[in-house]
Structure formats: structure tokens, C-alpha cells
């Protein structure tokens, strides 16, 4: 423990090594054991914890939290939702005295168990509830017109038309537009929504109606029902927060953070103070343009006015809601956690307004990793978009926020059909985008008396003790913890900034609508077709690390020794993609940075300023500024070439198919490398960072050792063996370290298939334990018997095997097709849990006979299928109840039994140290 290696790497290496409680029983392998360090709870994965109907009690809260803590969960986020039928007598009203007692008990238990606690400020989503009076509910703009001839009288109640809440609509303004272009304000002639007026000349009346969307809180819990909040009004927010102001006093300094889910506020494009805010912010009176706005005919003026309208919505959402919400949370000792996607606003600025920006993954990825299953019948394919996900981490990085969280595994597979092996590459994709604080989606509170399968939320991979994946989930939690312990260390190390042309996004034609929400599911409209997206994709693909920057953050950027300095760190270059619109101040910030000596690269120059006010004059000034910089600015159509000429080198390891993210430490770098290709890497891999020593750290096992490097190159090449589906960390050091060497192995012969007899006994699960069986060839246990076909749980496989070569002790055990995870014992000694591809482990065999035991756990799907075929009803929930991934009624009776156990050939391969 006093070696220079451990002493030097103690802050980092002890975290990684000591998280592994498994050792490889082979004296040729280095002993990696070490004392456990004090870990922060944020390094462990957290989970969203749905309180169905708020039907919670202290005893079951304590039991569930103890299960979470024992399994390796770091904290929970309480989200109350609709309840289960038959339990109405124990529903608790949100924020009632009884509900607060349960919250305080949860906080106390969290402190006892070392668990953190967050909560949503509401129930269901989005923010709203009974405290939202109609005047503070989400608003929508309606425009009505009436054509009048000279002398014609109008006596009419003006209505919003299709407004879902006609009684809540209020006519705010009424104007008459005459043929000569003059405008007459008739607002004072209104009696409520009634107008009685006679035209003194031909005209068209335009009524501005402040309507309401009528949207109610989705999936609300008892006591949380009501209108969705107006997110563009500080006054509405303050009114909304008042019940929490009164109730959450006892939670201060105990509750870690308050949470705001993705912006699923539909059709809200207005707040009663909008026209005044618009004039103050955009510099002109929007009512002068009501004829154009009402007609929604195409044209440059309309496009510019809509740009300004959306810009104002963005400003209000940021300044009236987001900033004030975080300020309120911090005032009450809480952090804020915010999903900004879906908002009609600047995502970078909105994410950055929170203490912890949070992105979201949705549906599943079809990986090329051999053995990672893809069943069309069980999964919706929607490749998580790394560029979309990076908006959250970019906001954290440029603002210096240490954590980026993620809602993880939403609708990953059909209910009860998600394997841990399918989760691993999905969470790795999130890590690669800058996420370092995972929240599972999620875990449903279920009391013991609910029986099996218990209560279940409709869109989740349910991480709960009544699901079979819970048996081996702690191994996945340990993997995530090891990864996050490193990904939360040091500082981000992305070398490039890319400017996001938000005002080009505001120009997107969305069927003439004023509202444009920037969400995950409509990114094909506002993100994917853009030059920004293509540029970022090119940079990532060739091995550069990037963050995004907004107009407002450019204002704070400064040149420092040729770098671009931001509150959160320094970047070697700032790249401006092709864009049509750019505000004058933004171009000024860019040229100032360039003139001060920073690397600012343009791949195209803007054509115009955004917006309507004085746009001709302002665009002329922009073009004059561009002309004045002619010959000075760096303008290129070959971004890779110009970066290389500037000495900003890419990570060439990307050419080998490795994905990576990098962080900087005081004395080197940390690389997280992932192989999601179908190809094994066994050779030297080039690094882009100088190093005298490189340490390999395996987050799956906790193993660590000094890598072999080639000193012929600088930066060096490091020798890696990375199979498809595997991930490694590299720790580069600026000085040479005397540390135990990483063990490289190579096959010393052909694989030897393990043939029967295999003894299989069912040790835990249900609905019944099938009889034991003895077989020569491995096959799915669903073929054993009727009981085995319905069984979900754990079976123990035992086989006696001879060491094929007494001179070889180190062997690679390959399990082949595992459904779904397996814990391994050799000669009575527990080795590890195999839960992800490639389902291999190095083992030691003694001379003569050896005993191999494997406890294999399948998914809960077969038991659930049998339950539904029996006619027993478990789907007893209010509101949406249970739906499948297509949001149709959930029905498992048509499922085929899922193959279970060990299906394919199990083999051992002799291993010998690799000769270099």
C-alpha cells in the first residue's frame, strides 16, 4: 500500500480499485484490493421513485430505501403520480400534513442509509396543480378579425374560437386597421369580451385574446390535480411556489434538489404581459403588425416577426421562470435539476440556469455489438442523438457546473423485457456525451402487500426488488459508480467550442405556428438539417471533443494565451458554422476574441441580423463589419485541415472505432474509451495527450495496472485489448510511475467446449420452483417443463470439469448466450457476476477435477406472461394504467416465452501472457 503507484494515484485509483469486491483467484494476476475510500452519493446511480397515489407508509418506505442502499443506489427523486385502484383509503393528499410526514421520514431514512433525496415540485408533470388559478394557467394567443364597412355596427361577444377553456379567454386589445394603414385603439370600447361599436370608415377589427390551453397536469397524484402553470410569468411562478414555501421548511438542508421534468407544456405561446414585454425587448409595437400576424401569409416580414415572437418567449421562459426557480431553490438550501429539452427557448441558456442540467434518453439503440440482442417486437429504435444530448453537458461545462444528469432507460424495451446487458451500452452513450450523474427511469414504490409484480409505472425499466433483474443489478450499479467516480473527477477537457446559431432555429417554418418547441422527438425539424449539426457531427467523428456556446455566453468569453476562456474552462478554438442570422453584438464578440488572439474559425459568414426592428439598417451595419474584417478572419471549408494547421490535434483513436470522452487532472488526463463496434481491438492505440505513464482501469471489474506504451511517438501509443462492448479508462501521467503492470493475455490454444452433464436446480423465483434437471446439452430452461416455461428467477448450473492442460492455470471462461446474467463460482470460491457482453471472465483451474457453478437469472417476462394467461389482473392503476411501448393497452398473453438460462456453448480457452 506504500508503493509510489498507489501513493501517487490515491485520489483516483483507490476509488476505482476499491469498488471491486471480487478478486481473480490466480497468483499471476495482480491483487487489486485496497481500502474503500469515502464515496460521495452522487457517484452512485440515483433513481426516480414514483409514489403511486402517494399511498406510502413509513415501514414500506424504510424497506424500499434499505433495498436501494444495499444494492448500491445513491439516492432517489420522489415523483408522486396517479394511484392504484383498491388503495384509495390510504391515498395521501400532496403537501398535506400526512404527506409531509412521509417526506420527512424519507429524508431521515436517507440520512441513516447514506442516500440522497431529490423531489419534483409538484406531482406528475409539467408543473401545475390546484394552486394554479386560471389567471396563472398556461396561456395561448388567439387573434380574431372582423371586416366592417363604413357605418356598420358590430355588437358581438368576441370568443377565442377553438379555445378549450372559452370562459377563461379574455380580450386584451382591440384595434381597427383602416385602408390608409392607420390603427385605432378600440380597447376602451370593450365591455369585458363584448364590443358595441360603429365603424366610421371601412376597416378590419383585430382582437387580441388572452386564452388558456386548458392543459391539466399529466399523471397527477392526489392533491396535485389542476391547470399547468404559465411558464412565462414570474408572478405565476411565485404564486405556484407559495405552497412549497409554506410546507418545505422542515426539508431545508436535508432535501438535496428540486426537479423540473421535460417541458411537456403543449400549445402555450402566450402570457398576459406578453405584448408589453415584446415591445420592451424587441423595440417595436407588435400590435402594429396584427394583420400580418393574423394572416400568417409567407413573407420576409412575417418570418422576422415570428423570429422576434419566439425570441421573446425564450427570454421570458429563461428570465421569468428558469432563473427565478433556481434562485428560489437556492434560497431554500436546495439545488435545482432541470430538463430544458422541449422548451421553446435557447436550450443552452435554459440548461445553464439550473445547478444540475439534465438530458434524457428515450427508446433504444440498435448496437453492432455481437451478442447485444435486438428484438423488433420488444423495442422502438430511436438512436439517442449524441449532439442533442450534449446541449445539457455543454451548458454545465461552459458555466462550470460539476454535474450533468440524465433520465436514463426511458422506454428502453417492453415491460419486464429489459436485460442489464442491454442497459450497459445505453448508459455508456450518455457518459460519452458528458453525463456523469445517472438517474434511472426508474423505480416504482410498491408496498409488500401489493404482491407480485407489484405496482408499476408505465414507461420505465423498473429497478425494484420484485423484478428479477434486481438480483444482479448491483453489479451494474457498481460499474456505473466506478465510471461516475472518474467522470466527476477533474475538469472537462473538450478542446473546441461550437457556436449554436439559435436565431436560425427561430426562423424554422413550423407550419406558420408562433410556437416552436425544441424537443427530442422533433429534432428532425430544428436540429438535424442544420449546418451546425453537420459540423458538430464531423468534428466528433474525426476525433475532436466539443461543447456548444450560445450568444449570451459569448458575451462573457475572453482570450487567454490564445485560448477562449469561459466561466467553466478554456478552449483551444471557437468554430462558427454557416448561419443566416447573427445578432450584431455576437459578431462583435467573435471579432473581439479573434483580434485579441484567440482561434476563431468561421465555416461561413452570416447574411443578416435576426428580427424585424431596424433590420435593414442593422444588416447593413453587419455587412460593413464583415467587410472591415475581410482578410483578417479565419474562414475555411476544410475544418480538419485548419485545426491541424493551428496545432489543435484530434484523437486519432477515433479512426479505430473507439468512442471517448476526456477529462483533465492536475497531472494528466482521464480517458473513457468505449468499443461499440463489432471489432476487437488488440494493438497500439494512439493518444492525443502527452504521457510518461498510462494506467489502465477497468470499470467493470475494478482492475488496474500500468499500460504498455510505445515511447517512439509523442504523444505515446498505448497497447489495449478491447473487445466489442467493453469500456476502459486510461489515466495518463506526466511522470513515469513504478506501478504493477497491466496483464495482457492471448489465447494459448483453441477453445474447449464444456460438455455435460449439467445439473440445473431452481433456487429462487416464481410462481413455482420447477424440478431439478440433468442434461447433456444446454438449452433454454423454458423447454424443461410447464412450470419452467412460466418461471422467472434464478437457476443454479453445476458441472464438473477436468483441467485440459495441467500446465495451464489461467483460462478464459466464455458463457456464450446468457439469458440474462450469471454469478460464477470455481471450486467454491465466488469470482464475479457476468451481466454484460461479452460474458467472459478469467478463471484459475487447478490440476484434476474442478467444480464450476453458475447462478443464472432470467427476466420477469415469462412469469408475467403466465400471470396474465391465468386471468389474474394486476393492471389496477388509474389514469393511463398500463400501456405498451406503442401506448396501446398492455397485453402479455400473446408473448412467446423468452429463452432463459444458458443457451449456447460454454467454453474455456487457455491464456498465456502476451509476448511483446
Amino acid at each position: 500500500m506504500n508503493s509510489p503507484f498507489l501513493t501517487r494515484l490515491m485520489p483516483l485509483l483507490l476509488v476505482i480499485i476499491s469498488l471491486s469486491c471480487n478478486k481473480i483467484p490466480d497468483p499471476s494476476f495482480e491483487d487489486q484490493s485496497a481500502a474503500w475510500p469515502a464515496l460521495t452519493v452522487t457517484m452512485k446511480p440515483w433513481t426516480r421513485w414514483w409514489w403511486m397515489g402517494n399511498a406510502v407508509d413509513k415501514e414500506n418506505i424504510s424497506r424500499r430505501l434499505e433495498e436501494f442502499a444495499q444494492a448500491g443506489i445513491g439516492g432517489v427523486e420522489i415523483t408522486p403520480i396517479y394511484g392504484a385502484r383498491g388503495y384509495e383509503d390510504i391515498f395521501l393528499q400532496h403537501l398535506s400534513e400526512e404527506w409531509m410526514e412521509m417526506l420527512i421520514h424519507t429524508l431521515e431514512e436517507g440520512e441513516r442509509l447514506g442516500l440522497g433525496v431529490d423531489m419534483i415540485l409538484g406531482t406528475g408533470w409539467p408543473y401545475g396543480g390546484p394552486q394554479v388559478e386560471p389567471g396563472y394557467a398556461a396561456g395561448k394567443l388567439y387573434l380574431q378579425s372582423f371586416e366592417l364597412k363604413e357605418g356598420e355596427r358590430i355588437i358581438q361577444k368576441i370568443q377565442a374560437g377553438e379555445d378549450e377553456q372559452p370562459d377563461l379567454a379574455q380580450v386584451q386589445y382591440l384595434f381597427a386597421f383602416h385602408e390608409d394603414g392607420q390603427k385605432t385603439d378600440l380597447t376602451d370600447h370593450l365591455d369585458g369580451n363584448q364590443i358595441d361599436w360603429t365603424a366610421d370608415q371601412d376597416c378590419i377589427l383585430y382582437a387580441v385574446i388572452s386564452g388558456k390551453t386548458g392543459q391539466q397536469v399529466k399523471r397527477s397524484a392526489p392533491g396535485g390535480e389542476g391547470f399547468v402553470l404559465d411558464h412565462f410569468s414570474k408572478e405565476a411562478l411565485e404564486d405556484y411556489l407559495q405552497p412549497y414555501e409554506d410546507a418545505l421548511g422542515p426539508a431545508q438542508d436535508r432535501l438535496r434538489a428540486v426537479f423540473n421534468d421535460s417541458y411537456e407544456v403543449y400549445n402555450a405561446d402566450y402570457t398576459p404581459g406578453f405584448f408589453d414585454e415584446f415591445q420592451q425587448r424587441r423595440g417595436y409595437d407588435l400590435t402594429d403588425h396584427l394583420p400580418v400576424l393574423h394572416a400568417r401569409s409567407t413573407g420576409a416580414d412575417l418570418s422576422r416577426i415570428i423570429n422576434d415572437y419566439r425570441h421573446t418567449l425564450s427570454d421570458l421562459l429563461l428570465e421569468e421562470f428558469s432563473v427565478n426557480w433556481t434562485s428560489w431553490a437556492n434560497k431554500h438550501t436546495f439545488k435545482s435539476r432541470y430538463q430544458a429539452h422541449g422548451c421553446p427557448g435557447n436550450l443552452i441558456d435554459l440548461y445553464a440556469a439550473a445547478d444540475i442540467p439534465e438530458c434524457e434518453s428515450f427508446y433504444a439503440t440498435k448496437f453492432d455489438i455481437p451478442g447485444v440482442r435486438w428484438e423488433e417486437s420488444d423495442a422502438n429504435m430511436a438512436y439517442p442523438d449524441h449532439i442533442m444530448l450534449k446541449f445539457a453537458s455543454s451548458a454545465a461545462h461552459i458555466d462550470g457546473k460539476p454535474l450533468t444528469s440524465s433520465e436514463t432507460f426511458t422506454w428502453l424495451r417492453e415491460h419486464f423485457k429489459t436485460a442489464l446487458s442491454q442497459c450497459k451500452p445505453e448508459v455508456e452513450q450518455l457518459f460519452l456525451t458528458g453525463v456523469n450523474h445517472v438517474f434511472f427511469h426508474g423505480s416504482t414504490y410498491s408496498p409488500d402487500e401489493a404482491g407480485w409484480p407489484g405496482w408499476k409505472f408505465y414507461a420505465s425499466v423498473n429497478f425494484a426488488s420484485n423484478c428479477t433483474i434486481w438480483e444482479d443489478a448491483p453489479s451494474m450499479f457498481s460499474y456505473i459508480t466506478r465510471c461516475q467516480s472518474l467522470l466527476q473527477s477533474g475538469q472537462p477537457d473538450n478542446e473546441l467550442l461550437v457556436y449554436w446559431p439559435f436565431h436560425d432555429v427561430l426562423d424554422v417554418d413550423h407550419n406558420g405556428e408562433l410556437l416552436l418547441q425544441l424537443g427530442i422527438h422533433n429534432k428532425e425539424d430544428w436540429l438535424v438539417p442544420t449546418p451546425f449539426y453537420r459540423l458538430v457531427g464531423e468534428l466528433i467523428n474525426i476525433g475532436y471533443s466539443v461543447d456548444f456556446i450560445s450568444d449570451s455566453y459569448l458575451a462573457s468569453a475572453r482570450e487567454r494565451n490564445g485560448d477562449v476562456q469561459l466561466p467553466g474552462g478554456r478552449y483551444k478554438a471557437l468554430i462558427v458554422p454557416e448561419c443566416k442570422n447573427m445578432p450584431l453584438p455576437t459578431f462583435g464578440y467573435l471579432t473581439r476574441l479573434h483580434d485579441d488572439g484567440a482561434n476563431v474559425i468561421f465555416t461561413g459568414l452570416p447574411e443578416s441580423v435576426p428580427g424585424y426592428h431596424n433590420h435593414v439598417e442593422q444588416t447593413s451595419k453587419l455587412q460593413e463589419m464583415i467587410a472591415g474584417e475581410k482578410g483578417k478572419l479565419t474562414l475555411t471549408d476544410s475544418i480538419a485541415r485548419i485545426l491541424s494547421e493551428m496545432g489543435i490535434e484530434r484523437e486519432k483513436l477515433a479512426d479505430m472505432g473507439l468512442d471517448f470522452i476526456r477529462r483533465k487532472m492536475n497531472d494528466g488526463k482521464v480517458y473513457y474509451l468505449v468499443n461499440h463496434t463489432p471489432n476487437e481491438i488488440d494493438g497500439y492505440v494512439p493518444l492525443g495527450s502527452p504521457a510518461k505513464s498510462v494506467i489502465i482501469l477497468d470499470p467493470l471489474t475494478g482492475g488496474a495496472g500500468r499500460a504498455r506504451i510505445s515511447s517512439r511517438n509523442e504523444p505515446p501509443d498505448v497497447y489495449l485489448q478491447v473487445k466489442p462492448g467493453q469500456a476502459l479508462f486510461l489515466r495518463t501521467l506526466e511522470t513515469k510511475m513504478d506501478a504493477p503492470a497491466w496483464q495482457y493475455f492471448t489465447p494459448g490454444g483453441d477453445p474447449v467446449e464444456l460438455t455435460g452433464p449439467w445439473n440445473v436446480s431452481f433456487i429462487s423465483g416464481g410462481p413455482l420452483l420447477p424440478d431439478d434437471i440433468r442434461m447433456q446439452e444446454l438449452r433454454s430452461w423454458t423447454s424443461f417443463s410447464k412450470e419452467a416455461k412460466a418461471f422467472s428467477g434464478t437457476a443454479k448450473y453445476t458441472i464438473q470439469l477436468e483441467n485440459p492442460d495441467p500446465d495451464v492455470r489461467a483460462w478464459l471462461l466464455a458463457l456464450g448466450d446468457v439469458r440474462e446474467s450469471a454469478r460464477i463460482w470455481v471450486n467454491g470460491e465466488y469470482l464475479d457476476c457476468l451481466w454484460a457482453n461479452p460474458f467472459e471472465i478469467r478463471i484459475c483451474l487447478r490440476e484434476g477435477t474442478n467444480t464450476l457453478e453458475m447462478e443464472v437469472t432470467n427476466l420477469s417476462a415469462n412469469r408475467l406472461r403466465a400471470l396474465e394467461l391465468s386471468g389474474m389482473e394486476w393492471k389496477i392503476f388509474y389514469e393511463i394504467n398500463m400501456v405498451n411501448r406503442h401506448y396501446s393497452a398492455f397485453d402479455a398473453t400473446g408473448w412467446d416465452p423468452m429463452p432463459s438460462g444458458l443457451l449456447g456453448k460454454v467454453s474455456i480457452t487457455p491464456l498465456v501472457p502476451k509476448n511483446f
Side-chain angles (χ1 to χ4, degrees):
M1 290 298 295
N2 295 319
S3 71
F5 169 67
L6 288 177
T7 301
R8 179 63 182 269
L9 294 182
M10 194 65 69
L12 167 69
L13 192 56
L14 278 184
V15 173
I16 301 302
I17 296 175
S18 64
L19 284 174
S20 173
C21 59
N22 311 315
K23 69 175 183 178
I24 302 169
D26 189 321
S28 68
F29 303 153
E30 283 294 334
D31 182 6
Q32 302 293 340
S33 62
W36 280 65
L39 297 176
T40 65
V41 295
T42 57
M43 292 178 181
K44 298 179 180 181
W46 289 38
T47 190
R48 183 169 299 175
W49 198 21
W50 290 287
W51 282 10
M52 300 200 81
N54 290 323
V56 296
D57 61 72
K58 292 182 179 180
E59 291 75 15
N60 279 292
I61 286 175
S62 294
R63 292 191 193 105
R64 301 294 86 83
L65 291 177
E66 287 168 355
E67 291 166 350
F68 288 151
Q70 185 176 6
I73 294 287
V76 297
E77 169 220 305
I78 298 170
T79 296
I81 55 169
Y82 54 87
R85 290 183 174 84
Y87 293 85
E88 293 83 356
D89 58 334
I90 58 171
F91 285 180
L92 301 180
Q93 294 293 302
H94 182 56
L95 294 185
S96 65
E97 183 177 342
E98 294 80 8
W99 191 92
M100 284 302 304
E101 186 178 350
M102 296 302 106
L103 174 62
I104 298 305
H105 177 73
T106 301
L107 293 170
E108 291 172 347
E109 288 294 270
E111 292 166 1
R112 176 177 70 88
L113 297 167
L115 294 169
V117 180
D118 292 357
M119 65 173 278
I120 193 168
L121 277 184
T123 77
W125 66 92
Y127 277 9
Q131 71 268 44
V132 178
E133 299 94 342
Y136 291 146
K140 183 170 178 58
L141 174 66
Y142 293 94
L143 298 176
Q144 295 282 30
S145 67
F146 308 91
E147 189 170 347
L148 299 179
K149 298 295 185 181
E150 181 179 352
E152 185 176 354
R153 183 182 183 186
I154 180 172
I155 304 175
Q156 184 171 335
K157 182 178 181 181
I158 301 174
Q159 295 182 335
E162 72 271 25
D163 194 329
E164 295 181 18
Q165 300 289 328
D167 295 338
L168 302 181
Q170 298 290 325
V171 180
Q172 275 194 291
Y173 309 105
L174 184 65
F175 296 95
F177 283 78
H178 307 291
E179 291 181 344
D180 60 3
Q182 295 298 308
K183 179 184 74 172
T184 302
D185 188 347
L186 301 179
T187 305
D188 289 344
H189 292 266
L190 288 168
D191 180 11
N193 289 353
Q194 189 82 21
I195 179 65
D196 182 353
W197 182 75
T198 301
D200 56 2
Q201 55 181 298
D202 291 356
C203 63
I204 300 178
L205 302 189
Y206 291 93
V208 176
I209 304 167
S210 176
K212 300 297 175 182
T213 67
Q215 183 182 350
Q216 300 280 310
V217 177
K218 293 175 63 176
R219 325 304 184 212
S220 60
E225 306 89 345
F227 286 123
V228 167
L229 174 70
D230 177 357
H231 284 67
F232 305 119
S233 166
K234 178 182 178 181
E235 185 178 344
L237 174 65
E238 291 174 343
D239 182 74
Y240 176 79
L241 292 173
Q242 191 57 54
Y244 299 96
E245 182 91 26
D246 298 337
L248 291 184
Q252 292 188 22
D253 295 312
R254 307 172 81 177
L255 184 73
R256 186 194 67 153
V258 293
F259 174 62
N260 189 2
D261 209 341
S262 56
Y263 188 90
E264 297 183 35
V265 182
Y266 305 129
N267 302 316
D269 60 11
Y270 193 68
T271 189
F274 184 85
F275 276 76
D276 291 338
E277 292 284 355
F278 184 97
Q279 184 161 3
Q280 178 181 340
R281 295 167 184 272
R282 305 285 84 85
Y284 64 100
D285 186 350
L286 184 58
T287 65
D288 291 342
H289 303 275
L290 290 177
V292 174
L293 205 59
H294 180 264
R296 304 284 172 89
S297 57
T298 58
D301 283 357
L302 177 63
S303 177
R304 289 183 175 276
I305 291 168
I306 288 179
N307 189 302
D308 283 335
Y309 194 102
R310 293 171 176 172
H311 190 187
T312 304
L313 287 177
S314 178
D315 285 351
L316 294 176
L317 184 57
L318 174 66
E319 298 169 21
E320 297 290 298
F321 176 81
S322 305
V323 171
N324 289 309
W325 170 67
T326 292
S327 177
W328 180 91
N330 295 165
K331 176 184 174 183
H332 293 80
T333 74
F334 314 136
K335 296 183 183 300
S336 62
R337 229 180 78 234
Y338 191 17
Q339 292 187 5
H341 45 276
C343 287
N346 191 312
L347 295 185
I348 296 174
D349 295 345
L350 289 165
Y351 277 125
D355 297 309
I356 306 173
E358 178 164 305
C359 60
E360 173 183 354
S361 65
F362 205 93
Y363 291 142
T365 306
K366 189 174 183 179
F367 291 99
D368 291 329
I369 304 168
V372 176
R373 300 194 313 279
W374 176 267
E375 301 93 348
E376 297 289 345
S377 60
D378 295 332
N380 287 356
M381 184 167 63
Y383 286 101
D385 192 310
H386 288 206
I387 298 174
M388 176 72 205
L389 294 169
K390 280 182 72 67
F391 277 93
S393 61
S394 292
H397 294 168
I398 65 177
D399 197 61
K401 302 177 188 301
L403 298 176
T404 301
S405 56
S406 63
E407 176 187 311
T408 311
F409 306 145
T410 305
W411 272 128
L412 193 56
R413 291 293 193 281
E414 193 56 88
H415 297 296
F416 305 98
K417 287 192 172 186
T418 303
L420 299 175
S421 61
Q422 295 164 326
C423 294
K424 180 174 179 283
E426 300 284 357
V427 76
E428 288 169 344
Q429 289 192 126
L430 292 168
F431 289 152
L432 291 166
T433 67
V435 167
N436 59 4
H437 187 23
V438 163
F439 277 77
F440 297 139
H441 192 269
S443 304
T444 311
Y445 169 96
S446 188
D448 290 347
E449 53 269 26
W452 195 90
W455 297 349
K456 178 82 165 63
F457 180 69
Y458 73 92
S460 71
V461 176
N462 199 30
F463 289 98
S465 60
N466 52 5
C467 295
T468 56
I469 60 171
W470 190 256
E471 184 73 26
D472 292 329
S475 295
M476 186 180 79
F477 300 164
S478 293
Y479 172 77
I480 292 172
T481 301
R482 293 188 185 103
C483 290
Q484 294 189 156
S485 67
L486 278 175
L487 296 173
Q488 292 177 19
S489 300
Q491 301 295 325
D493 192 37
N494 296 339
E495 66 268 12
L496 300 180
L497 275 173
V498 179
Y499 168 68
W500 182 41
F502 175 60
H503 291 276
D504 280 4
V505 175
L506 296 180
D507 259 0
V508 170
D509 182 11
H510 191 53
N511 301 318
E513 294 293 327
L514 297 174
L515 183 67
L516 177 64
Q517 295 182 234
L518 310 186
I520 296 171
H521 305 298
N522 70 333
K523 59 185 173 65
E524 301 291 336
D525 297 333
W526 63 270
L527 177 61
V528 174
T530 64
F532 165 83
Y533 187 87
R534 292 193 294 273
L535 173 64
V536 172
E538 177 187 356
L539 291 169
I540 292 175
N541 288 339
I542 62 177
Y544 284 105
S545 300
V546 303
D547 281 325
F548 313 151
I549 189 169
S550 65
D551 298 89
S552 62
Y553 274 87
L554 267 177
S556 64
R558 296 293 183 269
E559 183 275 338
R560 292 291 183 271
N561 298 322
D563 293 341
V564 179
Q565 178 72 55
L566 287 169
R570 292 168 66 161
Y571 297 82
K572 295 180 180 179
L574 168 59
I575 306 174
V576 182
E578 295 177 44
C579 60
K580 176 184 176 184
N581 299 302
M582 182 178 288
L584 273 178
T586 296
F587 191 77
Y589 304 146
L590 293 169
T591 56
R592 181 196 66 200
L593 286 169
H594 178 270
D595 294 344
D596 288 346
N599 291 315
V600 179
I601 307 167
F602 289 80
T603 64
L605 294 171
E607 302 172 12
S608 173
V609 298
Y612 179 81
H613 184 57
N614 289 340
H615 67 273
V616 175
E617 174 187 335
Q618 295 290 304
T619 297
S620 177
K621 187 173 181 180
L622 174 65
Q623 293 304 319
E624 290 176 6
M625 293 173 68
I626 292 174
E629 296 291 331
K630 189 174 182 180
K632 301 178 184 178
L633 298 178
T634 302
L635 181 64
T636 185
D637 60 359
S638 177
I639 190 65
R641 176 183 58 80
I642 201 71
L643 288 171
S644 181
E645 290 175 357
M646 289 178 169
I648 305 172
E649 297 297 337
R650 65 192 183 92
E651 292 284 359
K652 295 178 183 178
L653 56 82
D655 298 342
M656 305 177 73
L658 286 172
D659 295 317
F660 74 97
I661 191 168
R662 194 179 58 236
R663 295 182 71 85
K664 56 187 173 185
M665 311 293 284
N666 291 333
D667 55 354
K669 303 289 178 70
V670 168
Y671 284 78
Y672 177 57
L673 304 180
V674 178
N675 184 5
H676 282 173
T677 76
N679 305 312
E680 180 177 357
I681 292 173
D682 189 345
Y684 281 102
V685 174
L687 295 184
S689 302
K692 300 299 183 183
S693 298
V694 177
I695 309 302
I696 299 175
L697 304 110
D698 184 350
L700 193 65
T701 66
R706 175 174 45 84
R708 184 178 182 87
I709 63 175
S710 172
S711 57
R712 291 176 297 178
N713 300 322
E714 184 58 36
D717 297 341
V718 58
Y719 201 95
L720 296 178
Q721 295 174 315
V722 192
K723 293 191 175 182
Q726 288 187 325
L728 292 174
F729 280 94
L730 303 183
R731 175 70 162 92
T732 69
L733 297 165
E734 297 170 356
T735 57
K736 288 189 176 181
M737 289 277 85
D738 179 19
W742 181 261
Q743 299 295 308
Y744 297 95
F745 290 91
T746 190
D750 294 330
V752 178
E753 183 181 353
L754 301 186
T755 57
W758 294 86
N759 294 312
V760 182
S761 59
F762 294 87
I763 58 177
S764 65
L768 299 172
L769 293 181
D771 293 336
D772 296 351
I773 191 170
R774 184 179 176 91
M775 59 183 174
Q776 285 295 123
E777 294 185 357
L778 293 170
R779 64 184 190 275
S780 171
W781 74 48
T782 56
S783 65
F784 292 179
S785 63
K786 179 180 179 181
E787 290 77 17
K789 183 179 293 186
F791 177 77
S792 291
T794 302
K796 184 175 183 178
Y797 288 69
T798 305
I799 189 172
Q800 305 294 321
L801 65 149
E802 297 294 320
N803 186 337
D805 186 344
D807 294 330
V808 176
R809 298 194 65 195
W811 297 81
L812 182 70
L813 172 65
L815 300 189
D817 192 355
V818 180
R819 306 298 181 93
E820 300 294 337
S821 56
R823 296 185 297 284
I824 312 298
W825 286 260
V826 174
N827 297 322
E829 184 172 4
Y830 176 70
L831 301 186
D832 207 346
C833 175
L834 301 186
W835 57 274
N837 299 85
F839 290 100
E840 297 175 350
I841 186 173
R842 295 200 301 260
I843 65 172
C844 172
L845 295 181
R846 64 195 178 197
E847 185 176 352
T849 302
N850 294 262
T851 301
L852 173 64
E853 297 168 294
M854 294 174 283
E855 293 186 359
V856 181
T857 302
N858 71 340
L859 300 179
S860 297
N862 291 346
R863 183 176 180 180
L864 194 282
R865 170 183 177 272
L867 181 74
E868 293 209 347
L869 285 171
S870 74
M872 185 175 295
E873 187 55 76
W874 65 280
K875 303 184 289 271
I876 57 172
F877 313 114
Y878 280 98
E879 230 258 15
I880 196 171
N881 197 0
M882 280 298 295
V883 293
N884 62 23
R885 71 190 195 285
H886 300 300
Y887 286 82
S888 301
F890 179 86
D891 181 4
T893 59
W895 289 357
D896 292 327
M898 293 194 73
S900 301
L902 298 178
L903 305 189
K905 296 179 179 180
V906 176
S907 67
I908 55 174
T909 302
L911 295 176
V912 296
K914 186 174 183 65
N915 292 321
F916 290 92

